[in-house]
Amino acid sequence: MNRVKKLAIVAVVGMLGFVNVASAQKGHDKGKGQGKEKQDKQEKKEEHRAKKQEHKNGKQLVGEKIKTNGHHVIHKKGDYETAVEVKNGKIAGVHVKHAKKGDVPVKKYKSTKKMAQRRVVGQADGISFASLEQAEYIGTTYIGYAYIDEYGYEEIYWFPYDMILDGDTGAIEYVPAY
């Protein structure tokens, strides 16, 4: 009988050891799964970061269309079409549409630095640093509307604050990606 008790105790201890090893392994797998989830989230965040930013002068692109209320296309890049909504001579919003995927999320920035210069046709570098234009907007806040294309490039359309209907509502401080 003593021998049967010893055998039963060894069997129970062995099973407990097996259960502990199995549960430890299961917990170890959970850790791997959670690490994978964190890695997936990190990759998604990196997808939404821009590889490169291209700044566009929104004021120039809108031009005389600012005088007419309604929806105006200001730029096309591949399958992307950028349009502004004009109300009473002010930009009420910027919308980007992909030809196949539909509406694209647009982020709103604000900055006190002039990120896009006025482009002049006929100059070698295409940028004019006209002192009159700069003097007109010294100390101005600029509002930028941005989207990220399928290649990770961020297109930003900058407008002087006084051209925007709702100012910096919902805008986040712009930090250049270097």
Side-chain angles (χ1 to χ4, degrees):
M1 190 109 154
N2 213 4
R3 196 170 169 196
V4 172
K5 284 183 181 179
K6 285 182 184 179
L7 197 56
I9 291 173
V10 168
V12 169
V13 170
M15 289 182 76
L16 287 175
F18 178 75
V19 169
N20 283 341
V21 168
S23 65
Q25 182 64 31
K26 196 180 223 181
H28 186 66
D29 290 344
K30 278 185 183 177
K32 281 184 180 176
Q34 287 175 353
K36 176 130 176 73
E37 285 177 13
K38 285 183 180 179
Q39 184 179 4
D40 289 344
K41 285 181 183 178
Q42 185 65 25
E43 286 174 4
K44 284 183 182 178
K45 282 183 183 178
E46 288 175 6
E47 282 178 16
H48 294 290
R49 285 191 195 139
K51 294 178 186 175
K52 183 181 172 189
Q53 297 170 329
E54 188 169 329
H55 303 279
K56 306 237 185 285
N57 187 330
K59 180 181 178 183
Q60 179 191 9
L61 291 170
V62 171
E64 292 297 312
K65 296 173 188 172
I66 195 74
K67 296 178 182 176
T68 309
N69 288 344
H71 185 82
H72 305 288
V73 174
I74 60 169
H75 189 246
K76 290 183 181 182
K77 178 183 177 190
D79 287 338
Y80 293 92
E81 181 177 272
T82 305
V84 294
E85 191 68 34
V86 176
K87 290 183 183 173
N88 301 322
K90 301 251 184 192
I91 305 294
V94 175
H95 310 282
V96 179
K97 197 168 218 166
H98 187 275
K100 298 170 188 153
K101 299 176 186 176
D103 289 337
V104 176
V106 175
K107 188 183 287 188
K108 190 174 179 183
Y109 292 120
K110 64 181 173 181
S111 175
T112 55
K113 295 179 182 171
K114 191 167 189 171
M115 301 308 297
Q117 299 294 332
R118 183 174 62 94
R119 295 193 181 270
V120 177
V121 178
Q123 287 196 352
D125 62 1
I127 296 177
S128 168
F129 295 99
S131 60
L132 288 176
E133 182 182 358
Q134 288 178 347
E136 181 181 351
Y137 289 111
I138 287 178
T140 297
T141 298
Y142 294 90
I143 305 297
Y145 293 90
Y147 73 93
I148 299 177
D149 68 13
E150 69 256 19
Y151 303 110
Y153 295 106
E154 187 172 35
E155 299 285 328
I156 309 174
Y157 301 87
W158 291 99
F159 301 90
Y161 181 88
D162 62 351
M163 286 185 73
I164 308 297
L165 183 64
D166 64 350
D168 61 358
T169 303
I172 59 172
E173 194 66 36
Y174 175 72
V175 179
Y178 291 106

